[in-house]
Amino acid sequence: MSLELVKEIFQNLPNCKNWSTHLLSFKHSIRNGSIYNCRRIELEPSSEMDKLIQSISDLYVGEDKHRLSKYIDVREYDGTCSGTTIYKISESSSKVEIDLDALFKGIADSDTESDPLEMRLQAYILCGCIKINNEEHRLKLISMNNPITTLNNRFRHNKGKFWAISKKVLHLRTIMNVLIYDRTVYFLDMSGETLFNMERAYKLKCSEVVNEIDTMNIVSDIEVFKNTATAGANPRRFAAFSKSKLQLLKKKKNREKAAKYFNIPLTDDKEQFNTTEKVDAENLVKLLCGKAMWDIMEEVPVEVDGSKSWTR
Protein backbone atom coordinates (compact mmCIF):
# COMPACT_ATOMS: atom_id res chain seq x y z
CA MET A 1 0.00 0.00 0.00
CA SER A 2 1.35 3.43 -0.95
CA LEU A 3 1.08 6.54 1.13
CA GLU A 4 -1.35 7.85 -1.49
CA LEU A 5 -3.72 4.98 -0.78
CA VAL A 6 -3.42 5.47 2.99
CA LYS A 7 -4.35 9.09 2.42
CA GLU A 8 -7.31 8.05 0.27
CA ILE A 9 -8.58 5.77 3.04
CA PHE A 10 -8.56 8.55 5.64
CA GLN A 11 -10.15 10.96 3.17
CA ASN A 12 -12.99 8.52 2.54
CA LEU A 13 -13.74 7.68 6.18
CA PRO A 14 -16.73 10.09 6.39
CA ASN A 15 -18.31 8.41 3.35
CA CYS A 16 -18.84 5.23 5.37
CA LYS A 17 -21.98 5.54 7.52
CA ASN A 18 -22.16 2.01 8.90
CA TRP A 19 -19.58 1.94 11.69
CA SER A 20 -19.49 -0.29 14.76
CA THR A 21 -17.48 0.47 17.89
CA HIS A 22 -15.86 -2.14 20.12
CA LEU A 23 -13.94 -1.83 23.36
CA LEU A 24 -11.06 -4.31 23.44
CA SER A 25 -9.07 -6.27 25.98
CA PHE A 26 -6.54 -8.92 25.02
CA LYS A 27 -4.16 -11.41 26.54
CA HIS A 28 -1.24 -13.37 25.10
CA SER A 29 -0.02 -16.66 26.54
CA ILE A 30 2.10 -19.58 25.38
CA ARG A 31 -0.62 -22.08 26.21
CA ASN A 32 -3.67 -20.31 24.78
CA GLY A 33 -2.14 -17.97 22.22
CA SER A 34 -3.83 -14.61 21.72
CA ILE A 35 -7.32 -14.09 23.11
CA TYR A 36 -9.30 -10.95 22.29
CA ASN A 37 -12.44 -9.93 24.17
CA CYS A 38 -14.66 -7.17 22.85
CA ARG A 39 -17.60 -5.18 24.15
CA ARG A 40 -19.71 -3.53 21.47
CA ILE A 41 -21.00 -0.08 22.37
CA GLU A 42 -23.29 2.52 20.85
CA LEU A 43 -22.99 6.29 20.97
CA GLU A 44 -25.96 8.58 21.45
CA PRO A 45 -27.07 10.55 19.67
CA SER A 46 -26.00 8.62 16.56
CA SER A 47 -24.60 11.82 15.04
CA GLU A 48 -21.74 11.59 17.55
CA MET A 49 -20.26 8.72 15.53
CA ASP A 50 -20.23 10.87 12.41
CA LYS A 51 -18.47 13.61 14.35
CA LEU A 52 -15.83 11.17 15.63
CA ILE A 53 -15.12 9.77 12.17
CA GLN A 54 -14.89 13.25 10.69
CA SER A 55 -12.48 14.31 13.45
CA ILE A 56 -10.23 11.31 12.74
CA SER A 57 -10.24 12.09 9.02
CA ASP A 58 -9.44 15.77 9.65
CA LEU A 59 -6.61 14.85 12.02
CA TYR A 60 -4.89 12.69 9.40
CA VAL A 61 -5.66 14.44 6.11
CA GLY A 62 -7.09 17.83 7.04
CA GLU A 63 -6.13 21.08 5.33
CA ASP A 64 -3.90 22.19 8.19
CA LYS A 65 -0.74 20.27 9.05
CA HIS A 66 -1.95 16.69 9.32
CA ARG A 67 -0.52 13.55 10.91
CA LEU A 68 0.07 11.72 7.62
CA SER A 69 2.50 14.40 6.52
CA LYS A 70 5.23 13.00 8.80
CA TYR A 71 5.40 9.66 6.97
CA ILE A 72 7.72 9.17 4.01
CA ASP A 73 7.14 5.52 3.13
CA VAL A 74 5.29 2.26 3.71
CA ARG A 75 7.33 -0.93 4.07
CA GLU A 76 7.03 -4.49 5.28
CA TYR A 77 7.42 -4.86 9.03
CA ASP A 78 11.13 -5.49 9.64
CA GLY A 79 11.63 -4.79 13.34
CA THR A 80 12.96 -1.28 12.85
CA CYS A 81 11.25 1.64 14.57
CA SER A 82 11.34 4.65 12.27
CA GLY A 83 8.81 7.31 13.21
CA THR A 84 8.44 8.31 9.57
CA THR A 85 7.56 4.83 8.28
CA ILE A 86 4.25 2.97 8.25
CA TYR A 87 4.97 -0.75 8.70
CA LYS A 88 2.69 -3.35 7.19
CA ILE A 89 2.14 -7.05 7.78
CA SER A 90 0.55 -8.75 4.80
CA GLU A 91 -0.45 -12.38 4.51
CA SER A 92 1.34 -12.86 1.21
CA SER A 93 4.75 -11.45 2.05
CA SER A 94 5.13 -11.09 5.80
CA LYS A 95 8.20 -12.65 7.41
CA VAL A 96 6.50 -12.94 10.80
CA GLU A 97 3.20 -14.60 11.65
CA ILE A 98 0.35 -13.01 13.59
CA ASP A 99 -3.01 -14.46 14.62
CA LEU A 100 -5.28 -12.07 12.76
CA ASP A 101 -8.18 -14.53 12.83
CA ALA A 102 -8.20 -14.49 16.64
CA LEU A 103 -8.73 -10.72 16.60
CA PHE A 104 -11.48 -11.01 13.98
CA LYS A 105 -13.19 -13.70 16.05
CA GLY A 106 -13.05 -11.52 19.14
CA ILE A 107 -14.74 -8.70 17.23
CA ALA A 108 -17.38 -11.02 15.71
CA ASP A 109 -18.19 -12.41 19.17
CA SER A 110 -18.44 -8.98 20.82
CA ASP A 111 -20.36 -8.97 24.09
CA THR A 112 -23.21 -6.52 24.58
CA GLU A 113 -24.15 -7.25 28.19
CA SER A 114 -21.10 -6.86 30.46
CA ASP A 115 -20.38 -3.58 32.21
CA PRO A 116 -17.72 -1.82 30.10
CA LEU A 117 -16.67 0.29 33.08
CA GLU A 118 -15.54 -2.84 34.91
CA MET A 119 -13.49 -4.31 32.04
CA ARG A 120 -9.70 -4.07 31.92
CA LEU A 121 -9.54 -2.45 28.52
CA GLN A 122 -6.49 -1.72 26.37
CA ALA A 123 -7.92 -0.31 23.15
CA TYR A 124 -10.98 0.48 21.10
CA ILE A 125 -11.82 -0.49 17.52
CA LEU A 126 -13.86 1.17 14.80
CA CYS A 127 -15.10 -1.29 12.17
CA GLY A 128 -16.59 -0.34 8.84
CA CYS A 129 -16.44 -0.76 5.08
CA ILE A 130 -14.89 1.69 2.68
CA LYS A 131 -15.12 1.95 -1.09
CA ILE A 132 -11.84 2.40 -2.96
CA ASN A 133 -11.77 2.23 -6.76
CA ASN A 134 -15.40 1.06 -6.72
CA GLU A 135 -14.53 -1.94 -4.55
CA GLU A 136 -15.67 -2.55 -0.97
CA HIS A 137 -12.91 -3.12 1.60
CA ARG A 138 -13.26 -4.01 5.26
CA LEU A 139 -11.58 -1.47 7.49
CA LYS A 140 -10.65 -1.45 11.15
CA LEU A 141 -9.10 1.47 13.00
CA ILE A 142 -7.58 0.73 16.40
CA SER A 143 -6.56 3.16 19.12
CA MET A 144 -4.18 1.50 21.57
CA ASN A 145 -5.21 3.22 24.80
CA ASN A 146 -7.68 2.37 27.53
CA PRO A 147 -10.84 4.23 26.43
CA ILE A 148 -12.30 4.25 29.94
CA THR A 149 -10.76 6.92 32.13
CA THR A 150 -11.32 9.01 35.23
CA LEU A 151 -11.16 12.74 34.69
CA ASN A 152 -8.80 14.30 37.20
CA ASN A 153 -9.12 18.00 37.91
CA ARG A 154 -12.25 18.20 35.77
CA PHE A 155 -15.41 19.80 37.16
CA ARG A 156 -19.06 20.18 36.15
CA HIS A 157 -21.16 23.24 36.87
CA ASN A 158 -24.25 22.94 39.04
CA LYS A 159 -26.15 25.56 41.06
CA GLY A 160 -23.45 28.16 40.69
CA LYS A 161 -20.60 25.93 41.81
CA PHE A 162 -18.18 23.51 40.17
CA TRP A 163 -18.20 19.89 41.33
CA ALA A 164 -15.51 17.28 40.74
CA ILE A 165 -16.34 14.64 38.14
CA SER A 166 -15.73 11.39 39.96
CA LYS A 167 -17.33 8.85 37.63
CA LYS A 168 -15.49 6.97 34.92
CA VAL A 169 -16.08 8.21 31.38
CA LEU A 170 -15.58 6.96 27.85
CA HIS A 171 -12.80 8.77 26.01
CA LEU A 172 -12.48 7.85 22.33
CA ARG A 173 -9.17 9.26 21.11
CA THR A 174 -8.88 10.36 17.49
CA ILE A 175 -5.27 9.17 17.26
CA MET A 176 -5.17 5.74 15.61
CA ASN A 177 -2.24 3.36 16.03
CA VAL A 178 -3.26 0.43 13.82
CA LEU A 179 -5.12 0.26 10.53
CA ILE A 180 -6.37 -3.07 9.14
CA TYR A 181 -7.36 -2.97 5.47
CA ASP A 182 -9.05 -6.28 4.63
CA ARG A 183 -6.36 -8.65 5.99
CA THR A 184 -3.32 -6.39 5.83
CA VAL A 185 -2.16 -4.74 9.05
CA TYR A 186 -0.53 -1.30 9.14
CA PHE A 187 1.28 0.05 12.17
CA LEU A 188 1.06 3.85 12.24
CA ASP A 189 3.40 3.69 15.23
CA MET A 190 5.00 0.89 17.22
CA SER A 191 2.41 0.77 20.02
CA GLY A 192 0.48 -1.61 17.78
CA GLU A 193 3.14 -4.28 18.32
CA THR A 194 1.55 -5.29 21.63
CA LEU A 195 -1.76 -6.03 19.90
CA PHE A 196 -0.27 -9.01 18.08
CA ASN A 197 2.49 -9.92 20.54
CA MET A 198 5.17 -9.09 17.98
CA GLU A 199 7.96 -9.85 20.45
CA ARG A 200 6.89 -13.50 20.56
CA ALA A 201 6.46 -13.54 16.77
CA TYR A 202 10.01 -12.48 15.96
CA LYS A 203 11.48 -14.63 18.73
CA LEU A 204 9.78 -17.65 17.16
CA LYS A 205 11.21 -16.68 13.78
CA CYS A 206 14.65 -16.28 15.37
CA SER A 207 14.48 -19.75 16.95
CA GLU A 208 13.29 -21.29 13.68
CA VAL A 209 16.16 -19.78 11.71
CA VAL A 210 18.80 -20.74 14.29
CA ASN A 211 17.62 -24.36 14.12
CA GLU A 212 17.79 -24.30 10.33
CA ILE A 213 21.33 -22.90 10.39
CA ASP A 214 22.28 -25.66 12.82
CA THR A 215 21.17 -28.31 10.32
CA MET A 216 23.02 -26.57 7.47
CA ASN A 217 26.36 -26.85 9.33
CA ILE A 218 27.66 -23.52 8.02
CA VAL A 219 28.85 -22.07 11.36
CA SER A 220 31.71 -23.41 13.42
CA ASP A 221 30.23 -22.81 16.88
CA ILE A 222 26.45 -23.12 16.86
CA GLU A 223 26.20 -22.42 20.61
CA VAL A 224 27.90 -19.04 20.33
CA PHE A 225 25.76 -18.21 17.29
CA LYS A 226 22.57 -19.30 19.05
CA ASN A 227 23.36 -17.38 22.24
CA THR A 228 24.17 -14.28 20.21
CA ALA A 229 21.18 -14.49 17.87
CA THR A 230 18.67 -14.96 20.68
CA ALA A 231 19.97 -12.19 22.95
CA GLY A 232 19.61 -8.42 23.14
CA ALA A 233 18.28 -6.65 20.05
CA ASN A 234 19.04 -9.55 17.71
CA PRO A 235 15.70 -11.46 17.93
CA ARG A 236 13.91 -8.32 16.74
CA ARG A 237 16.18 -8.20 13.70
CA PHE A 238 14.76 -11.53 12.55
CA ALA A 239 11.53 -9.78 11.62
CA ALA A 240 13.48 -8.85 8.48
CA PHE A 241 15.19 -12.24 8.03
CA SER A 242 15.88 -13.10 4.39
CA LYS A 243 15.27 -16.74 3.51
CA SER A 244 16.85 -16.22 0.09
CA LYS A 245 20.11 -14.98 1.61
CA LEU A 246 20.34 -18.04 3.82
CA GLN A 247 19.72 -20.31 0.84
CA LEU A 248 22.52 -18.58 -1.05
CA LEU A 249 24.89 -19.26 1.84
CA LYS A 250 24.50 -23.00 1.26
CA LYS A 251 27.06 -22.59 -1.51
CA LYS A 252 30.69 -22.31 -0.48
CA LYS A 253 31.46 -19.59 -3.03
CA ASN A 254 28.74 -17.39 -1.55
CA ARG A 255 30.04 -17.90 1.97
CA GLU A 256 33.47 -16.86 0.73
CA LYS A 257 31.97 -13.78 -0.90
CA ALA A 258 30.14 -12.83 2.31
CA ALA A 259 33.31 -13.36 4.33
CA LYS A 260 35.26 -11.13 1.98
CA TYR A 261 32.81 -8.24 1.83
CA PHE A 262 31.57 -8.22 5.43
CA ASN A 263 34.67 -9.32 7.32
CA ILE A 264 33.10 -12.45 8.74
CA PRO A 265 35.97 -14.94 9.12
CA LEU A 266 35.88 -18.48 7.76
CA THR A 267 37.41 -21.57 9.29
CA ASP A 268 40.78 -22.71 7.96
CA ASP A 269 39.16 -25.10 5.48
CA LYS A 270 36.86 -22.30 4.22
CA GLU A 271 33.81 -24.50 4.81
CA GLN A 272 32.15 -22.64 7.70
CA PHE A 273 31.81 -19.18 9.16
CA ASN A 274 34.01 -18.95 12.22
CA THR A 275 31.57 -17.94 14.95
CA THR A 276 33.73 -18.50 18.00
CA GLU A 277 33.65 -14.73 18.56
CA LYS A 278 30.36 -13.04 19.41
CA VAL A 279 31.04 -10.07 17.13
CA ASP A 280 31.36 -12.36 14.10
CA ALA A 281 28.19 -14.24 14.99
CA GLU A 282 26.34 -10.93 15.30
CA ASN A 283 27.65 -9.73 11.94
CA LEU A 284 26.24 -12.88 10.36
CA VAL A 285 22.87 -12.10 11.95
CA LYS A 286 23.00 -8.58 10.48
CA LEU A 287 23.82 -10.00 7.06
CA LEU A 288 20.85 -12.40 7.15
CA CYS A 289 18.45 -9.77 8.48
CA GLY A 290 18.96 -6.89 6.07
CA LYS A 291 21.21 -4.80 8.30
CA ALA A 292 24.43 -5.27 6.29
CA MET A 293 24.89 -3.51 2.95
CA TRP A 294 27.79 -2.79 0.61
CA ASP A 295 28.57 0.84 -0.23
CA ILE A 296 29.49 0.62 -3.93
CA MET A 297 30.92 4.16 -3.99
CA GLU A 298 33.39 3.80 -1.14
CA GLU A 299 33.56 0.00 -1.41
CA VAL A 300 33.08 -0.62 2.30
CA PRO A 301 30.52 -2.61 4.31
CA VAL A 302 27.93 -0.49 6.13
CA GLU A 303 25.28 -1.23 8.73
CA VAL A 304 21.79 0.08 7.96
CA ASP A 305 18.58 0.32 9.97
CA GLY A 306 16.53 -1.27 7.22
CA SER A 307 16.19 -1.57 3.46
CA LYS A 308 13.60 -1.62 0.74
CA SER A 309 13.61 -2.21 -3.00
CA TRP A 310 15.40 0.45 -5.06
CA THR A 311 13.06 2.55 -7.23
CA ARG A 312 13.87 4.99 -9.99
Side-chain angles (χ1 to χ4, degrees):
M1 179 191 283
S2 66
L3 281 175
E4 289 73 20
L5 189 48
V6 175
K7 181 178 180 179
E8 188 173 0
I9 288 173
F10 279 103
Q11 287 175 333
N12 281 280
L13 291 183
N15 296 332
C16 173
K17 301 301 181 181
N18 188 25
W19 292 95
S20 63
T21 308
H22 308 259
L23 308 182
L24 172 67
S25 66
F26 54 88
K27 182 183 296 185
H28 306 298
S29 69
I30 296 176
R31 174 179 294 181
N32 299 317
S34 296
I35 297 176
Y36 301 90
N37 294 307
C38 292
R39 170 63 159 88
R40 182 165 178 165
I41 61 171
E42 295 184 8
L43 303 182
E44 294 293 347
S46 58
S47 59
E48 290 301 314
M49 177 59 74
D50 295 334
K51 292 180 182 178
L52 175 64
I53 296 300
Q54 186 65 58
S55 295
I56 294 171
S57 179
D58 291 343
L59 179 65
Y60 282 88
V61 292
E63 293 183 0
D64 296 330
K65 186 176 180 180
H66 52 80
R67 291 186 68 88
L68 279 188
S69 64
K70 72 175 183 177
Y71 298 109
I72 60 174
D73 67 346
V74 176
R75 71 174 75 163
E76 283 289 332
Y77 179 84
D78 60 3
T80 56
C81 304
S82 171
T84 59
T85 294
I86 296 175
Y87 296 95
K88 70 176 181 177
I89 302 177
S90 52
E91 286 190 308
S92 59
S93 58
S94 177
K95 296 175 181 178
V96 292
E97 295 183 2
I98 60 173
D99 194 351
L100 193 59
D101 288 329
L103 175 61
F104 287 176
K105 183 179 187 303
I107 296 172
D109 296 340
S110 272
D111 174 37
T112 57
E113 301 296 331
S114 60
D115 185 351
L117 299 181
E118 298 302 319
M119 297 176 66
R120 299 183 65 179
L121 300 169
Q122 294 139 291
Y124 86 89
I125 307 174
L126 294 170
C127 300
C129 288
I130 191 169
K131 184 172 285 188
I132 300 291
N133 296 327
N134 292 319
E135 293 185 359
E136 291 283 347
H137 296 275
R138 291 171 298 168
L139 184 67
K140 294 171 180 62
L141 298 170
I142 304 175
S143 180
M144 296 295 297
N145 284 86
N146 184 351
I148 302 296
T149 185
T150 299
L151 298 179
N152 295 319
N153 301 319
R154 300 292 193 275
F155 303 86
R156 61 182 176 83
H157 184 258
N158 185 33
K159 298 180 180 180
K161 295 183 179 181
F162 288 90
W163 303 77
I165 300 174
S166 58
K167 293 183 178 180
K168 294 179 180 179
V169 299
L170 177 68
H171 178 210
L172 300 182
R173 297 166 70 250
T174 54
I175 294 177
M176 297 292 117
N177 308 105
V178 182
L179 183 155
I180 304 178
Y181 185 72
D182 290 330
R183 293 186 63 86
T184 301
V185 177
Y186 298 86
F187 291 143
L188 302 180
D189 59 46
M190 306 319 295
S191 64
E193 288 185 318
T194 59
L195 181 65
F196 295 108
N197 200 12
M198 296 307 299
E199 182 178 4
R200 181 172 184 271
Y202 54 68
K203 282 185 175 180
L204 285 174
K205 172 59 69 174
C206 173
S207 179
E208 174 188 313
V209 175
V210 168
N211 290 336
E212 184 173 358
I213 290 174
D214 188 12
T215 63
M216 291 170 62
N217 197 32
I218 61 171
V219 298
S220 65
D221 194 322
I222 188 61
E223 287 304 314
V224 171
F225 181 80
K226 179 179 180 179
N227 292 336
T228 302
T230 58
N234 283 326
R236 188 181 188 91
R237 288 172 171 154
F238 280 86
F241 164 73
S242 172
K243 180 75 171 180
S244 60
K245 283 188 175 68
L246 182 57
Q247 294 302 312
L248 287 171
L249 292 181
K250 285 183 176 180
K251 295 183 178 180
K252 181 179 179 180
K253 67 176 183 179
N254 289 331
R255 294 197 294 274
E256 292 176 341
K257 185 185 296 185
K260 173 183 176 182
Y261 284 104
F262 295 103
N263 301 318
I264 305 173
L266 295 171
T267 53
D268 292 339
D269 59 8
K270 309 295 184 182
E271 292 294 333
Q272 297 174 306
F273 290 108
N274 188 336
T275 56
T276 56
E277 297 293 334
K278 178 181 176 181
V279 63
D280 298 319
E282 185 156 333
N283 284 339
L284 181 56
V285 169
K286 293 176 183 177
L287 174 62
L288 291 170
C289 298
K291 301 297 184 282
M293 296 292 164
W294 182 256
D295 186 329
I296 63 171
M297 299 299 292
E298 297 186 0
E299 295 189 341
V300 293
V302 293
E303 181 176 343
V304 296
D305 287 333
S307 63
K308 61 179 181 177
S309 298
W310 182 269
T311 55
R312 294 180 62 184

